[in-house]
Amino acid sequence: MAKNNPITVQVLGICSCLAVTAQLKPAFVMAVSVTVVVALSNLIISLLRNTIPPRIRIIVQLVVVSTLVILVNQVLQAFVYDVSKQLSVYVGLIITNCIVMGRLEAFAMSHKPMESVMDGIGNGLGYGVILVILGFFRELFGSGTLWGYPVMEKLGLYNIGYENNGLVIMAPMALILVGVIIWIQRTKDKDLQEN
Amino acid sequence: MQMNGLRNFIDKIKPTFSEGGKLSWLSQTFGGFETFAFTPNKVTQRGSHVRDAVDMKRAMITVVIALVPAMLFGMWNIGYQTSEALVAQGGEAFGWWYCLWFGFVRMLPMLVVSYVVGLGIEFTYAQIRGHEVYEGYLVSGFIIPMIVPVTTPLWQLALAVAFAVIFAKEVFGGTGMNFLNPALVARAFLFFSYPTHMSGDKVWIAADMWGSDALTGATPMGELATGMHPQASALDMIIGTIPGSTCETSVIAIALGALILLISGIASWRTMLAVFIGGGAMGLLFNAIGANEYMQLPFYYHFIMGGFAFGAVFMATDPVTSAQTNCGKWIYGILIGAFAVLLRVLNPAYPEGMMLSILLMNCFAPLIDHCIIQQNIKKRQRRALAEGKEVKA
């Protein structure tokens, strides 16, 4: 999860990670959705891997992924409608998420189903962890709430002059925060340092 | 006599900090303070000042001296604006010296916060990385309080300074390696993080000492953005008795600073002139279109309103972040001026375009230099070929 994290090491899936992490709840839901999609599509592609003709494999992969994404989207709309509205197009855009396609191409096409599922779950969680970390900090400092609960207000910080930081809500700050996470990770883990 | 005492003291404690001494792990911190007090006996070898024969610290201090007139006027103006606003409410006007004192009391905490936070981070980094403490922050720390509204809360300022020093400077390798101007990054951070404290008509004037209600006063550009003609006359704007960020209002004080920078050769006259040419050209273009009040504004108004002059003199000419080639300086400067006026006139969400336009061009400065240098190499290759010499690729 840490050694080969899709966001901080492979630097994939940055767009969605900037877009959905302004608050913790959508970030969490997105993390779960992506994990489900990667794991299941890895499973299906892995099962089909010997029957897919190599020349049309991308199309086949896309069909599988899209089907799963549509399913996830329907489930979200049914059970967490408000979050699904917040995530808007980004659920649909899981289809184009580099992590999904990347794992299918690099792993599921050449590995057994069980291994593929584990790989999918691992990558999904690695993606999810970063999303949740980002969501946590951005919601806490940007809106002063956590999962909708007004933390900063309850702590009484507004009364002593504290204010929410508008920049944290914006995408550039998310990018900087990803940078900070990468920075911390590489400081700790010497193997990842490049020259 | 006193200086000798300090020198002796430093020499006496020096062994403690050098290698093998008790406090050798603090040697970088010590070095920083020592060279701050005395001209060191070596010139800077690399970094932003490899092109010059003076120590970088001397160059930086010259810039600070150039900033002093603007700083002094800014302090006085803080007091003057509050006084004016109080008079408008039926209160009593401040005396001349009281204006200065009032502004000084307002500025001092901001300066202290800016230096303590900024230098604290710089010293920590120097210590961790084991290099000497670079002096770049001397100027940035001085400029940051000068370009924010006087009512900026100190904790926000501290946060902005920390952000700017870490993310605009230290992650890229410290002084001389940054591609963005740290002072402007600090301001941009404040601008986007706490927009209510950075624009509008409630932030430019300090409340009086005993904390009455906020006083209001719009900047000329604030008025223009809402479609009004500015109340202040051009003369007021040149002298600087208008509301604005603390020390950016007076064109005269800034011109004094510009003179010092140009005579000492620290700032490039090409960049400075180019910014004004770019801004003026864009202003004239808008005059030709003339669709609204802002577009009809005489072009020279852009030079004397807001942060244009301050940015052109002190920020655009920053030797680290501006273009280095002569031709590049012209392109860089002209585009800064043009974009600044463009943003001012066409984007009502950002009343001041100078900050964003300098930051934008900071990003492009290396590219401009690269193109100019490649062009030059090609030209020389062609010339060499024409002369029949062999050319190494």
Side-chain angles (χ1 to χ4, degrees), chain A:
Chain A
M1 214 154 92
K3 280 270 179 196
N4 201 11
N5 186 291
I7 293 184
T8 61
V9 179
Q10 303 169 15
V11 197
L12 295 175
I14 294 290
C15 317
S16 58
C17 138
L18 301 189
V20 301
T21 55
Q23 281 172 329
L24 188 54
K25 201 172 172 187
F28 181 76
V29 172
M30 185 73 176
V32 173
S33 315
V34 170
T35 310
V36 169
V37 171
V38 183
L40 289 183
S41 60
N42 260 9
L43 173 70
I44 295 170
I45 292 296
S46 174
L47 286 171
L48 294 173
R49 71 183 188 280
N50 294 325
T51 52
I52 299 173
R55 291 177 72 179
I56 57 160
R57 67 182 194 284
I58 301 282
I59 296 177
V60 175
Q61 288 167 4
L62 267 180
V63 170
V64 172
V65 177
S66 331
T67 317
L68 285 166
V69 167
I70 291 167
L71 283 177
V72 166
N73 203 3
Q74 294 302 321
V75 172
L76 289 185
Q77 280 179 5
F79 293 102
V80 277
Y81 185 64
D82 54 329
V83 179
S84 132
K85 259 194 358 198
Q86 260 177 310
L87 288 172
S88 64
V89 295
Y90 291 99
V91 176
L93 285 177
I94 295 177
I95 300 170
T96 57
N97 193 318
C98 323
I99 298 171
V100 182
M101 292 298 282
R103 288 333 288 172
L104 293 179
E105 274 290 290
F107 201 91
M109 284 301 285
S110 54
H111 287 79
K112 294 203 176 94
M114 261 325 276
E115 292 168 17
S116 301
V117 173
M118 294 319 286
D119 176 78
I121 292 176
N123 272 283
L125 286 181
Y127 173 83
V129 165
I130 305 295
L131 243 61
V132 170
I133 295 176
L134 283 179
F136 176 83
F137 284 109
R138 289 182 73 192
E139 184 173 354
L140 185 61
F141 293 110
S143 321
T145 57
L146 274 180
W147 207 274
Y149 182 79
V151 182
M152 293 299 189
E153 198 184 312
K154 297 287 179 197
L155 289 174
L157 284 176
Y158 291 124
N159 298 333
I160 56 170
Y162 177 81
E163 270 166 68
N164 290 325
N165 189 316
L167 186 61
V168 178
I169 306 258
M170 290 188 237
M173 198 62 192
L175 201 60
I176 292 172
L177 283 174
V178 174
V180 172
I181 295 173
I182 296 178
W183 182 8
I184 295 170
Q185 194 188 359
R186 296 203 174 189
T187 316
K188 286 200 165 159
D189 194 339
K190 301 283 179 223
D191 295 349
L192 294 175
Q193 288 176 6
E194 303 142 19
N195 290 315

Side-chain angles (χ1 to χ4, degrees), chain A residues 161 163-167 180 183, chain B residues 125 155 167 189 192-194 197:
Chain A
E163 270 166 68
N164 290 325
N165 189 316
L167 186 61
V180 172
W183 182 8
Chain B
Y125 267 94
W155 67 269
F167 289 105
F189 179 86
F192 288 109
S193 295
Y194 309 105
H197 285 279

Side-chain angles (χ1 to χ4, degrees), chain B residues 166-308:
Chain B
I166 295 176
F167 289 105
K169 205 162 156 191
E170 292 304 339
V171 291
F172 294 108
T175 300
M177 309 292 184
N178 50 312
F179 69 96
L180 291 175
N181 187 321
L184 277 176
V185 171
R187 193 182 196 282
F189 179 86
L190 285 173
F191 183 83
F192 288 109
S193 295
Y194 309 105
T196 48
H197 285 279
M198 292 299 285
S199 50
D201 56 1
K202 292 204 167 49
V203 300
W204 307 110
I205 298 178
D208 72 33
M209 295 252 191
W210 300 277
S212 64
D213 297 333
L215 301 168
T216 58
T219 63
M221 285 190 306
E223 289 170 342
L224 276 163
T226 52
M228 289 176 350
H229 195 77
Q231 291 167 2
S233 68
L235 187 66
D236 286 343
M237 293 184 197
I238 289 173
I239 299 172
T241 53
I242 50 169
S245 296
T246 49
C247 299
E248 64 168 25
T249 53
S250 171
V251 179
I252 295 178
I254 292 166
L256 267 176
L259 213 60
I260 297 175
L261 286 182
L262 291 178
I263 290 172
S264 62
I266 286 173
S268 152
W269 62 270
R270 288 186 182 86
T271 314
M272 230 184 260
L273 186 62
V275 175
F276 284 104
I277 293 175
M282 193 48 107
L284 284 173
L285 185 68
F286 279 125
N287 282 349
I289 302 171
N292 59 24
E293 182 82 39
Y294 217 149
M295 286 188 183
Q296 286 161 5
L297 199 72
F299 71 95
Y300 54 85
Y301 264 68
H302 286 294
F303 299 162
I304 55 183
M305 288 189 317
F308 193 97

